[in-house]
Amino acid sequence: MSSVALDAPAPVGFAEKIWRINWGFVLVLTAIAGVGVLALYSAAGGRFEPWAARHAVRYGAALGLMLVVALMHPKVWLALAWPIYIVSLLLLVAVDLIGKIGMGAQRWLVIGPMQLQPSEIAKVAVILVLARYYHGLRKEQAAQFLYTLPPLLVILVPVALVMVQPDLGTAMMVLMGGGAVLFVAGVRLWMFLAAGVAAVACLPIAWSLMHEYQRKRVLTFLDPDRDPLGAGYHITQSKIAIGSGGLFGKGFLKGTQSSLNFLPEKQTDFIFTTFVEEWGLVGACALLALFVLVLLWGFSIAFRSQHHFGRLLALGVTAMLFLYVFINTAMVMGLLPVVGVPLPLVSNGGTAMVSVMFACGLLIGVNVYRDAQLPRTR
Amino acid sequence: MKPFRKGDGERSGLFTRRALLLAGVQGVLLSALAGRLYQLQVLETQRFSTLAEENRINLRLLPPSRGLIFDRTGQPLAVNRNNFRAMATSDRGRGADVLVERLDQILGLGATERNRLLRDLRRSRNAQPVVVRENLGWEEVARLEFNAPDLPGVFIDLGQSRDYPEGELMSHIIGYTGRVADEDLAGRDDPVLQLATMRFGKKGVERSLEDDLRGRAGAVQVEVNAVGRVVRELDRTEGQPGSNALLTIDLDLQRFAAEKMKEHQSGSVVVLDVVTGDVIAMASTPGFDPSTFARGITQGEWRELLDNPERPLHNKAIAGVYPPGSTYKMVTALAALESKAIDPWTRLPCLGFLELGNIKFHCWLKGGHGSTNVVEAIASSCDCFFYEAARRAGVDRISDMAVRLGFGRMSELGLPGESAGNQPTRAWKQEKVGKPWQHGDTFNLGIGQGYMTSTPLQLAIMTARIANGGYEVQPNLLLAKATPREELTPPPARAKPTAPSLRLNPQHLALIRDGMKDVVNTGHGTANHLRQRDPALMFAGKTGTAQVKRITERERDMGITQDQLPWHLRHHALFVCFGPVDNPRYACAVIVEHGQGGGKTAGPIGRDVLVETIKRDPSRRNDRFRKMASR
């Protein structure tokens, strides 16, 4: 046995752990959730029912979960990474087989009183497994093509399962979130180029696999005026709402576009539009600044981690949060096709909230145990 | 094992470089977002503000016209009536108080209506219009139009409401519609169900055919001004009206059957076509007036309907459960014959009672029937014969036969609220009663008493399956459905059942039918007084009298008669029959609640209804179907 213990820092006590939780970060998350409550209150026409009150309660519960997750030793996650991943795959298969049909796509699994969206779990699970995998590899190994095959499989299997649901937005998120971990783990750049070329080559196949409504959305994205009263309606109305908000917005509860039912899904995917119509460019930038703070915190945690697992995990979670925010906001501004990606902690929706807060818990956990000694297993 | 830190330095270095690169990319993308926001909200805000303020295009759903329902001859049973209604929208309930106050002055709403309207206005999502009042008269329309400038957000809407021309007569079959409830939305994501004016089938055919009758919503693109008033219409996609439905019910026969039932407080008649399973008539008395539901039932009316001991809301033909009594004896006989527990020549004695241990099981005829075979036993309804036959066949075989004949489970009729009745088995008793099955239970089951219960529909199904030669016909209410009314025609008549065979010995079935024939057509039959002389109208049947309350030995000794008991404790009267006797086409089951004697009260109704059914048969065959006049 080696003498590892000699140069290891002293074990961290409980008080120290609590101290190491990034409380500023928690405050920023709470501020974002507060924006969510505000926006949902307005979306319901100035009422706490049916969304705002539940959103607040849900955030409170998820906050508790996050703190518990944050205090768990990373070796727990090392051990649980694969089991969580396997379970999420099984759930995805289950949802494909028996899932409830919602909005023309199967995404929910109803277990007792709650609706579960397994694709949300898969996002975190993929990052966990990839971090664990590269934690166990040496740099030279990480750079080799052969060692890149298993992680590719880890990413592509859930992507395929999510694609058949079909949920383009989540598939893109898993693909790009996983890709980000691969990138920082040291996979050669030419492989990313090759993947990019392959993706372009596969576009026609993807096109043939898409649902009619998805093709419509892509075509509409390319040319919104093509069908202004049909599929282009969402984007056009969302742009009108955002644009008419102007610099300072129309004021709280004074948004006309959302209240007169021009906006579809205004409490979920288009919540940013609802908020920005009333709070203007100033509000939008403030909200985005909060998210930028979250990302900066994520990067700094990743850089400070003494172990590779923590670095990769923190960066993967940060990349995932970025993708959420970017895809959602770019979509409602007409920069990306309309795909079902919620704005984290702001959109109404339970599973997304839990999975985002779980991921944030992992992130804080990396900071709490930044100097933990993790064996390089397998 | 390698020390964990070895090589970590270079890994960390690569990680840092690439992570910084990633952060840079994210920064650029986020800047692009900020740029886009600047473009939309600063550079182009004027254009978008104009679009938002002046050109508000709203998408409104057009509720589809609900499918009409006709009887098999094309007479209307459920139609749509034009309905002018006042609707109101309010911007998130703002100004609702003032608006409701003014509406009250103009229409005289009253306190409860005012409160409902206020609540609806505040709850209305997405400024969806809510209903102020339905079925406006011309004067009310005129007053609202006159005061329009003072009533922002109020408009008159031409909608349709449901009308049931036959009212109470068809109330149980047709059911009624009501506002869409949350549970109605389960599994249906049709956006039209969100409309305040939309109605949803709650009971009867309105419910079972809901997804056919509803149709698909159209949509209209309208330009609205700042208070949500429609300025002009831009684009219109017509929806698809719901399917019209042709029911198997013969309205004239239904009316006849209901008339016959009127003499009695409470009961039910079912007439089935034994070949096709078509439900030709299904009456349950008393009924209710469905128009009270169409206009919105009041609390008082609702309580009154619920508290009535005759249960007018209850479709007794499918939801009323009664012990089948002697009408069950065909099941016992068939089970015994099919299992070879008895044969056609087996004669069993009857002394007026049978003893099991120290319990006496009585026959209805005090002096006993002497020795009878199965045909005679059915004709004279000898209880002792069936005690012994049941004992020999055993509960398992009887229950099995009963299930094959339609007892103990729901039919495929599809009407909501149907009951499966109860076909007891050994396992059932052990589970529900907690005691093992006893011989005495078998005796009771043999004569359709004890734990055994069934619905009038199940009795009709049993009779139909015996009458048609053992085919597993299922009752059926829908003859045809089609969206364009011209295509709504009944399918061609059938002479042979298409249902699967139950694989019963044809000779055994013939014996049962002979017994039922003798019930009506021989001197010793229990329903001899119902006999028809005209050979074309001759029919077969079986009486039944079901105990509601156990007859104690003391009462038996004292000779207390049924008339002396309070109404709700008297026996139920049952009668099942089929005809014409030589070539059966129709089966009929009658139950008169607490009607005392099956032959006495239920029998004459069964005879009248069945004979009328047979008499009208040619007209039904000759396609009496008329093309319906529009609306």
Side-chain angles (χ1 to χ4, degrees), chain A residues 47 134-135 137 183 186-187 242-243 246 253 255 259-262 266 276 281 308 311 329 333 376, chain B residues 6 8 10-11 14-15 18 21 26 33 36 40-41 45 48 52 56-58 92 94 122 126:
Chain A
R47 280 184 293 262
Y134 280 107
H135 175 74
L137 290 191
F183 179 71
V187 172
I242 294 175
L253 295 182
S259 75
L260 287 177
N261 201 22
F262 289 100
K266 64 186 177 194
V276 169
L281 183 63
H308 207 50
R311 276 196 285 269
T329 47
M333 289 184 224
R376 202 183 263 179
Chain B
K6 179 157 185 197
D8 201 54
E10 31 180 321
R11 282 208 303 196
L14 176 75
F15 173 87
R18 289 202 169 178
L21 195 62
Q26 293 185 5
L33 283 186
R36 175 69 167 181
L40 290 176
Q41 298 195 289
T45 185
F48 286 120
R56 300 171 178 211
I57 300 165
N58 211 333
R92 303 171 197 201
R94 254 181 260 148
R122 293 202 178 112
N126 313 330

Side-chain angles (χ1 to χ4, degrees), chain B residues 338-594:
Chain B
E338 286 282 312
S339 61
K340 301 197 168 55
I342 60 169
D343 63 37
W345 303 277
T346 306
R347 301 192 77 82
L348 299 172
C350 171
L351 302 172
F353 62 88
L354 202 72
E355 275 177 318
L356 180 73
N358 52 2
I359 309 170
K360 256 188 186 175
F361 284 84
H362 289 272
C363 184
W364 67 270
L365 191 64
K366 228 175 176 180
H369 288 90
S371 156
T372 55
N373 66 18
V374 62
V375 174
E376 291 160 3
I378 292 175
S380 58
S381 202
C382 172
D383 289 336
C384 291
F385 182 95
F386 290 98
Y387 292 144
E388 176 60 17
R391 192 191 62 77
R392 291 191 187 184
V395 53
D396 302 330
R397 291 197 180 112
I398 298 174
S399 289
D400 180 57
M401 179 59 66
V403 168
R404 289 165 79 187
L405 291 174
F407 289 102
R409 56 183 170 188
M410 282 202 271
S411 72
E412 291 169 12
L413 187 66
L415 281 190
E418 187 179 339
S419 165
N422 181 38
Q423 176 59 54
T425 58
R426 285 180 203 277
W428 173 87
K429 190 182 175 193
Q430 189 66 53
E431 191 190 322
K432 296 285 166 172
V433 186
K435 290 179 191 152
W437 188 266
Q438 307 282 342
H439 278 304
D441 295 330
T442 309
F443 277 33
N444 275 331
L445 179 62
I447 61 161
Q449 291 283 161
Y451 301 115
M452 176 70 208
T453 58
S454 68
T455 65
L457 178 66
Q458 285 172 331
L459 292 177
I461 294 170
M462 169 198 74
T463 312
R465 289 180 184 179
I466 291 171
N468 69 14
Y471 291 95
E472 202 175 353
V473 284
Q474 282 288 350
N476 159 43
L477 259 176
L478 182 65
L479 206 55
K481 64 179 182 195
T483 304
R485 253 191 265 173
E486 308 78 62
E487 288 175 21
L488 194 64
T489 49
R494 269 185 287 152
K496 276 234 174 320
T498 51
S501 168
L502 287 166
R503 298 181 184 285
L504 298 173
N505 185 334
Q507 285 171 339
H508 293 161
L509 279 169
L511 284 173
I512 305 291
R513 283 196 299 265
D514 281 347
M516 291 176 73
K517 181 179 172 185
D518 289 354
V519 166
V520 183
N521 296 296
T522 62
H524 62 276
T526 52
N528 178 246
H529 56 291
L530 304 176
R531 180 174 194 169
Q532 295 298 299
R533 301 286 164 194
D534 181 351
L537 299 179
M538 270 171 68
F539 70 97
K542 181 77 195 77
T543 57
T545 304
Q547 280 181 18
V548 173
K549 171 182 169 296
R550 232 187 123 74
I551 304 167
T552 61
E553 287 296 327
R554 204 173 129 262
E555 283 168 339
R556 205 181 288 279
D557 292 343
M558 285 167 61
I560 287 181
T561 64
Q562 284 284 307
D563 289 322
Q564 291 162 300
L565 289 171
W567 181 75
H568 68 278
L569 292 179
R570 293 176 194 165
H571 296 332
H572 293 310
L574 297 98
F575 191 67
V576 298
C577 51
F578 65 83
V581 75
D582 296 323
N583 184 21
R585 181 73 197 198
Y586 299 105
C588 174
V590 180
I591 177 152
V592 176
E593 286 190 344
H594 311 292

Side-chain angles (χ1 to χ4, degrees), chain B residues 25-85:
Chain B
V25 171
Q26 293 185 5
V28 170
L29 288 175
L30 285 173
S31 310
L33 283 186
R36 175 69 167 181
L37 277 171
Y38 182 77
Q39 180 202 354
L40 290 176
Q41 298 195 289
V42 177
L43 301 182
E44 295 183 42
T45 185
Q46 212 53 50
R47 184 166 76 89
F48 286 120
S49 296
T50 316
L51 282 174
E53 289 305 319
E54 286 172 15
N55 186 22
R56 300 171 178 211
I57 300 165
N58 211 333
L59 185 79
R60 290 202 173 160
L61 290 174
L62 297 171
S65 169
R66 196 171 173 84
L68 310 182
I69 306 175
F70 303 95
D71 89 326
R72 68 184 303 133
T73 63
Q75 303 184 64
L77 302 177
V79 295
N80 299 322
R81 197 161 36 79
N82 275 347
N83 169 8
F84 287 93
R85 55 192 157 210

Side-chain angles (χ1 to χ4, degrees), chain A residues 50-176:
Chain A
W51 304 308
R54 255 189 262 172
H55 189 76
V57 171
R58 223 181 254 149
Y59 175 76
L63 188 64
L65 172 82
M66 180 184 83
L67 294 177
V68 171
V69 170
L71 291 174
M72 297 239 242
H73 197 278
K75 70 184 178 198
V76 175
W77 304 117
L78 268 180
L80 282 181
W82 279 105
I84 292 178
Y85 179 76
I86 301 290
V87 168
S88 77
L89 283 195
L90 291 178
L91 287 173
L92 278 178
V93 172
V95 93
D96 285 345
L97 293 182
I98 55 169
K100 169 179 168 174
I101 309 230
M103 305 298 290
Q106 298 178 328
R107 292 174 196 175
W108 290 279
L109 204 61
V110 180
I111 301 171
M114 58 179 201
Q115 285 185 337
L116 201 70
Q117 221 173 327
S119 52
E120 294 290 339
I121 303 174
K123 287 173 196 166
V124 185
V126 165
I127 290 167
L128 265 176
V129 163
L130 291 179
R132 184 193 194 286
Y133 177 82
Y134 280 107
H135 175 74
L137 290 191
R138 275 176 284 114
K139 187 191 169 198
E140 312 82 69
Q141 287 173 324
Q144 277 171 27
F145 177 68
L146 218 56
Y147 281 94
T148 311
L149 289 180
L152 269 182
L153 216 58
V154 163
I155 297 173
L156 290 179
V157 170
V159 165
L161 287 174
V162 173
M163 277 291 261
V164 299
Q165 282 184 1
D167 183 350
L168 208 57
T170 306
M172 290 310 288
M173 278 193 63
V174 175
L175 195 65
M176 292 166 74

Side-chain angles (χ1 to χ4, degrees), chain B residues 167-238:
Chain B
E168 184 176 338
L169 177 62
M170 293 296 295
S171 56
H172 292 119
I173 299 172
I174 301 293
Y176 51 87
T177 59
R179 285 175 181 236
V180 185
D182 286 344
E183 66 261 25
D184 299 334
L185 295 173
R188 296 185 176 87
D189 54 4
D190 192 341
V192 76
L193 292 176
Q194 306 285 354
L195 288 180
T197 55
M198 201 59 195
R199 291 293 177 268
F200 195 89
K202 297 290 177 184
K203 284 272 156 62
V205 171
E206 291 274 32
R207 176 64 182 223
S208 63
L209 294 181
E210 166 62 34
D211 290 331
D212 290 316
L213 294 170
R214 188 167 62 240
R216 272 209 328 273
V220 58
Q221 294 282 350
V222 289
E223 206 179 298
V224 293
N225 66 13
V227 287
R229 229 172 236 281
V230 175
V231 180
R232 76 191 152 108
E233 191 176 305
L234 297 175
D235 184 33
R236 178 179 273 263
T237 333
E238 288 302 335

